[in-house]
Amino acid sequence: MSNRKSDGSMGGQSLLLPESYFSSALQLDQPPGRSASSIDLSSANSPNDERRTVLSTQSVAARKMGTRQLIPKNLAVTSRPKNRHHTTVVTLPVPLLSTDISWEDYDSDAGDGFSMRRNRRNKSYRAAVTSLNIEDLPSELQTETLTLVSEEKAANQKQAHKSGRKRTLGRIRNRKHAGSFKDEPRFYQQIRERGLNANNLSTEDDEFTPTGPPEEDQGIVVKNYRAAYMTWSQLQQVKDLGILEIISPEERKRQEAIFEIITSEFSYQHSLSILVRHFKDSADLKKTMTTTEHHHLFSNISVIQEVSKRFFEDLEKRHQKYPVIQDISDIVQNHATHHFEPYIVYCSNETFQQRTLQKLLSSNNAFRETLKQIEGSEECGGLPMISFLILPMQRVTRLPLLLDTICQKTPKEKAEYFAARWALKAISKLVKNCNDGARRMERTEQMYTIQKQMEFGKIKPFPLVSSSRWLKKSGELSAYTDDLSIFRKAFSYKSYYLFLFNDVLIVTKKKSEESYVVLDYATVEKVEMEEEMTDSKLNLKLQMNPNSEGRCEHMILVAESKLDRARWVTALGDVKQGNSIDNDELPQYEATKAYMPKAPDELSLQQAEVVIVLQEVDGWCHGERMRDGERGWFPANCATQITNRTAMENNIQRMERLRKETDV
């Protein structure tokens, strides 16, 4: 079979072959009385001799059930080997089958006479195999059977569909952005920019260690896991041009910092598209709420998406000009100054957004079930909708840290350094306006609500609503009093509800769920509160001197727990002491999860933010956020302590630099 010379090439030479070869291996249909050695092979060249083609399925061997025959190996296995003409021996029952000649019988890679016969033989054998009825085979033949090609393809397609992988058939190699960060976009919730660390920017792929799921009733917590995409040094174009051998290590770190802003913006844009397409534009979800609730929930997120798209396009154009990017500070400054105003609107709506979401989750079953289905879809990655809603706040607060990293990697004598500083000031001003907008809306609405609920009665009233006043903490405490009588001394407890604002403390008695009667008040400068250092009692000593009537008032209050007592003391202490702390020796914690506060004295955290911890009680930490000095409580399981002394010193230097240069 390995001899591919045609019959015509032999001329008139006689072909000498052993008689045993034809008698044992081929034994084709022969006239009775003729031996295999008497066959005249030279007669095949005669044009008058009609050539008869015998298919393998019509041979004597094929008619014998269970007999052995020679077949191409590529027909007996699922994968086709390179040597198409290698033979093997199998045992198969093959029924009779007739086949017509067509253009498919010809092999396209050869033109000799054997090509047509070989292809016809292969085709007939495939037809014979596909016509088999496996159930009718004897039991000894059912143990080892051939898998049909069509069945295997269906099984592979089903398995690929089950595993979530798409069959690309090699098309992935022909992508427009092959080998770039745009091939497999990640969720912004699942990446961590290296530039958020105050340490030297690493060029290695450090994977962020995943943390366990949060406990119940710990606020809205979103986990983040991985490092952001590939690094600039891993780009194929950078390797092909040999850029790493030309530039200095310092310039390489600067390019990494610049490139990370581009890749993280693409990831952020990808997550925004998921939020708009699968949540905001969902007809099923929209049916479960009113138009007002839908607006409070999503606000102007579509505008934010368009802003991010234009920002990324400008960054990408700069990157496509040449792998070594000279600077992107001008792009950041331009967008932060002229195009990022929608972020202020979105952040100002945060109060209504969180309240609307909590209301829908607690009282709207249709909304809850529909949202659960959308969150569980493959497109959303199983992430909760709240992790998408907080993305604009998360992104805008990270940009100053990423710009600060570029500043630190740029030599101070270059013009790019001053451009980066101006861009840092512009983006920091935007963050400050976003924070002020969110606080202003929340505080104004809260003050109007509290004023409607309060009744001053016999106490001299005063205007409660003010643009410079906001609530720091509120809650119920028991007052410990002495009841003196002629025969004995008795003790009793009275329940009071306290409102601590940034400038005044109001003591009330709860009349109903939404009504309070004012009993007394005093400015915070005239209020003293301290813990009673006993293990069995959770007492607080409160002194108002003077109170609303101009006299000194003493009260002993009882808290529900050590944590509640500590939170009241720190709330009053933060109001009176301001931001004057010695933070050089205090422990630092890095947020591993984003945390949304439930109470006014709690601190909101974004992943990778650094907090100076002032106190820890019963699994909660009281700390100061480094980027803006805001204080509050947060769950201890949302952060991990920083033990590297160099990293702690770098964090302190970054905090001082940001607050001085950006006036945050």
Side-chain angles (χ1 to χ4, degrees):
M1 296 180 65
S2 62
N3 191 345
R4 284 181 166 237
K5 291 183 179 182
S6 62
D7 296 342
S9 64
M10 297 179 182
Q13 298 179 4
S14 61
L15 182 63
L16 300 178
L17 293 175
E19 180 179 354
S20 59
Y21 179 86
F22 289 96
S23 61
S24 60
L26 294 180
Q27 293 185 2
L28 302 179
D29 295 343
Q30 307 170 13
R34 293 185 62 184
S35 64
S37 60
S38 63
I39 299 177
D40 187 6
L41 297 178
S42 61
S43 62
N45 295 330
S46 176
N48 299 326
D49 186 14
E50 181 179 359
R51 179 179 300 178
R52 180 186 177 188
T53 303
V54 180
L55 301 181
S56 61
T57 54
Q58 298 176 349
S59 65
V60 177
R63 294 192 182 99
K64 297 180 180 180
M65 302 294 291
T67 58
R68 296 185 176 184
Q69 59 178 313
L70 296 176
I71 65 171
K73 185 178 180 180
N74 62 301
L75 301 180
V77 295
T78 57
S79 60
R80 197 167 184 175
K82 293 182 178 180
N83 187 2
R84 299 175 53 188
H85 313 300
H86 186 75
T87 60
T88 186
V89 179
V90 297
T91 302
L92 276 178
V94 184
L96 295 177
L97 185 67
S98 61
T99 307
D100 296 331
I101 300 177
S102 66
W103 285 108
E104 296 178 358
D105 296 331
Y106 290 90
D107 235 351
S108 60
D109 57 351
D112 51 13
F114 283 103
S115 300
M116 185 189 73
R117 290 197 295 271
R118 181 179 65 250
N119 214 31
R120 292 189 62 191
R121 181 173 64 250
N122 295 352
K123 181 178 179 181
S124 63
Y125 189 82
R126 291 191 185 96
V129 171
T130 55
S131 64
L132 291 177
N133 189 357
I134 303 299
E135 297 179 356
D136 296 337
L137 293 178
S139 58
E140 62 272 9
L141 296 179
Q142 292 182 10
T143 56
E144 295 182 2
T145 58
L146 297 179
T147 303
L148 302 183
V149 176
S150 59
E151 293 178 354
E152 183 184 11
K153 288 183 178 180
N156 292 340
Q157 292 176 357
K158 182 177 181 181
Q159 183 178 3
H161 178 72
K162 182 177 180 181
S163 61
R165 295 177 297 159
K166 297 182 179 180
R167 296 176 60 87
T168 60
L169 302 178
R171 290 189 299 269
I172 190 173
R173 295 189 297 269
N174 299 325
R175 285 180 176 175
K176 182 179 180 181
H177 304 284
S180 73
F181 61 90
K182 300 180 70 174
D183 288 343
E184 298 179 359
R186 297 181 183 177
F187 292 105
Y188 191 64
Q189 301 96 309
Q190 295 179 333
I191 69 170
R192 177 195 181 194
E193 295 96 330
R194 299 172 181 85
L196 299 179
N197 296 329
N199 303 352
N200 291 333
L201 190 64
S202 174
T203 58
E204 299 177 356
D205 289 331
D206 300 328
E207 288 295 330
F208 193 73
T209 304
T211 57
E215 298 178 0
E216 294 294 332
D217 198 24
Q218 290 292 325
I220 304 172
V221 181
V222 180
K223 296 186 295 183
N224 290 318
Y225 297 102
R226 303 154 66 183
Y229 291 106
M230 64 175 64
T231 62
W232 176 80
S233 304
Q234 295 172 341
L235 291 176
Q236 190 62 40
Q237 189 177 7
V238 174
K239 296 179 180 179
D240 295 341
L241 296 177
I243 299 176
L244 299 179
E245 302 175 0
I246 303 175
I247 63 175
S248 63
E250 291 75 15
E251 179 61 24
R252 176 179 178 177
K253 293 181 179 180
R254 178 176 174 271
Q255 291 298 319
E256 297 286 1
I258 294 175
F259 185 68
E260 189 170 47
I261 291 183
I262 302 176
T263 57
S264 59
E265 187 66 27
F266 178 74
S267 176
Y268 168 64
Q269 179 186 337
H270 170 67
S271 294
L272 285 182
S273 65
I274 298 296
L275 173 60
V276 173
R277 185 168 62 252
H278 293 281
F279 291 98
K280 178 181 179 295
D281 295 342
S282 172
D284 295 335
L285 190 64
K286 195 171 185 178
K287 293 177 182 178
T288 63
M289 69 185 89
T290 64
T291 305
T292 303
E293 290 173 338
H294 188 271
H295 175 71
H296 285 169
L297 202 57
F298 299 104
S299 187
N300 62 333
I301 191 62
S302 298
V303 180
I304 297 290
Q305 183 188 14
E306 292 299 322
V307 169
S308 173
K309 182 179 179 180
R310 293 194 296 267
F311 181 47
F312 173 75
E313 289 175 352
D314 290 346
L315 293 174
E316 188 181 26
K317 289 178 182 178
R318 185 70 57 87
H319 170 61
Q320 290 176 346
K321 289 183 178 180
Y322 191 68
V324 180
I325 306 174
Q326 183 177 1
D327 196 16
I328 61 170
S329 301
D330 56 328
I331 299 177
V332 177
Q333 182 180 359
N334 177 55
H335 281 265
T337 306
H338 302 102
H339 304 290
F340 281 178
E341 292 85 356
Y343 279 96
I344 302 176
V345 178
Y346 188 88
C347 293
S348 300
N349 184 63
E350 182 183 5
T351 302
F352 302 101
Q353 182 185 77
Q354 301 299 330
R355 183 185 306 151
T356 302
L357 179 60
Q358 295 293 346
K359 177 184 176 182
L360 291 172
L361 289 174
S362 60
S363 60
N364 192 327
N365 293 330
F367 172 83
R368 187 165 55 249
E369 293 299 326
T370 306
L371 180 63
K372 184 178 180 181
Q373 294 178 0
I374 299 176
E375 291 176 343
S377 63
E378 182 180 357
E379 293 79 6
C380 300
L383 296 171
M385 184 178 67
I386 183 60
S387 68
F388 291 92
L389 292 176
I390 65 174
L391 287 177
M393 287 85 75
Q394 187 178 27
R395 179 61 176 172
V396 78
T397 54
R398 288 186 182 185
L399 284 176
L401 301 179
L402 299 177
L403 261 296
D404 178 68
T405 302
I406 295 180
C407 286
Q408 299 310 305
K409 305 305 176 184
T410 305
K412 296 183 178 180
E413 64 274 7
K414 291 189 175 182
E416 289 82 358
Y417 173 77
F418 297 97
R421 285 191 58 180
W422 281 110
L424 177 59
K425 289 181 180 292
I427 197 67
S428 298
K429 183 178 180 180
L430 173 70
V431 174
K432 188 175 185 299
N433 292 335
C434 290
N435 292 334
D436 292 343
R439 294 168 183 168
R440 182 170 56 253
M441 293 293 294
E442 178 182 6
R443 292 169 179 176
T444 302
E445 186 197 19
Q446 193 175 53
M447 293 305 298
Y448 274 107
T449 302
I450 295 175
Q451 179 173 284
K452 293 179 180 179
Q453 296 174 346
M454 283 192 178
E455 300 177 6
F456 280 86
K458 298 180 180 180
I459 303 298
K460 182 180 179 181
F462 67 94
L464 190 60
V465 177
S466 174
S467 59
S468 60
R469 180 177 293 127
W470 63 89
L471 182 67
K472 296 288 293 183
K473 182 172 178 57
S474 63
E476 193 170 9
L477 293 172
S478 299
Y480 182 73
T481 60
D482 297 338
D483 292 337
L484 300 177
S485 65
I486 300 175
F487 302 101
R488 63 186 179 86
K489 182 178 181 180
F491 303 98
S492 63
Y493 293 92
K494 293 182 179 180
S495 179
Y496 295 107
Y497 202 94
L498 276 63
F499 292 88
L500 177 62
F501 300 92
N502 63 311
D503 60 346
V504 62
L505 173 67
I506 302 178
V507 181
T508 69
K509 183 178 181 179
K510 198 170 185 179
K511 186 177 180 180
S512 64
E513 288 297 328
E514 297 182 355
S515 180
Y516 306 91
V517 179
V518 178
L519 301 178
D520 205 351
Y521 61 83
T523 58
V524 292
E525 292 83 1
K526 308 299 181 181
V527 176
E528 296 292 338
M529 184 182 292
E530 62 180 11
E531 298 177 83
E532 192 175 65
M533 304 304 295
T534 59
D535 296 334
S536 59
K537 297 181 180 180
L538 302 173
N539 294 351
L540 285 168
K541 294 182 179 180
L542 177 64
Q543 174 180 307
M544 295 184 291
N545 186 21
N547 63 353
S548 59
E549 298 179 354
R551 56 184 176 83
C552 182
E553 180 70 21
H554 294 272
M555 299 179 66
I556 299 179
L557 303 174
V558 181
E560 295 180 355
S561 62
K562 290 183 179 180
L563 177 62
D564 188 35
R565 180 178 62 178
R567 290 175 70 158
W568 274 107
V569 174
T570 55
L572 184 61
D574 290 344
V575 171
K576 298 183 67 174
Q577 297 177 6
N579 295 328
S580 58
I581 60 171
D582 185 11
N583 48 36
D584 292 336
E585 301 298 330
L586 293 174
Q588 298 179 11
Y589 282 69
E590 181 181 2
T592 57
K593 306 173 186 177
Y595 179 73
M596 302 299 295
K598 287 184 175 181
D601 65 333
E602 293 182 4
L603 185 66
S604 64
L605 291 178
Q606 303 294 342
Q607 187 263 342
E609 281 190 323
V610 180
V611 183
I612 301 175
V613 175
L614 309 176
Q615 187 180 4
E616 184 174 358
V617 179
D618 293 344
W620 284 75
C621 294
H622 178 243
E624 177 181 307
R625 196 165 52 201
M626 273 195 167
R627 64 178 173 86
D628 57 2
E630 189 74 14
R631 294 185 186 181
W633 291 82
F634 61 92
N637 62 354
C638 290
T640 57
Q641 185 173 0
I642 301 174
T643 57
N644 188 296
R645 188 63 189 175
T646 303
M648 296 176 63
E649 294 176 355
N650 291 337
N651 289 333
I652 295 297
Q653 294 175 4
R654 166 177 271 189
M655 179 191 68
E656 296 175 349
R657 183 172 61 252
L658 287 177
R659 295 185 184 181
K660 178 181 179 180
E661 295 184 359
T662 63
D663 192 26
V664 175

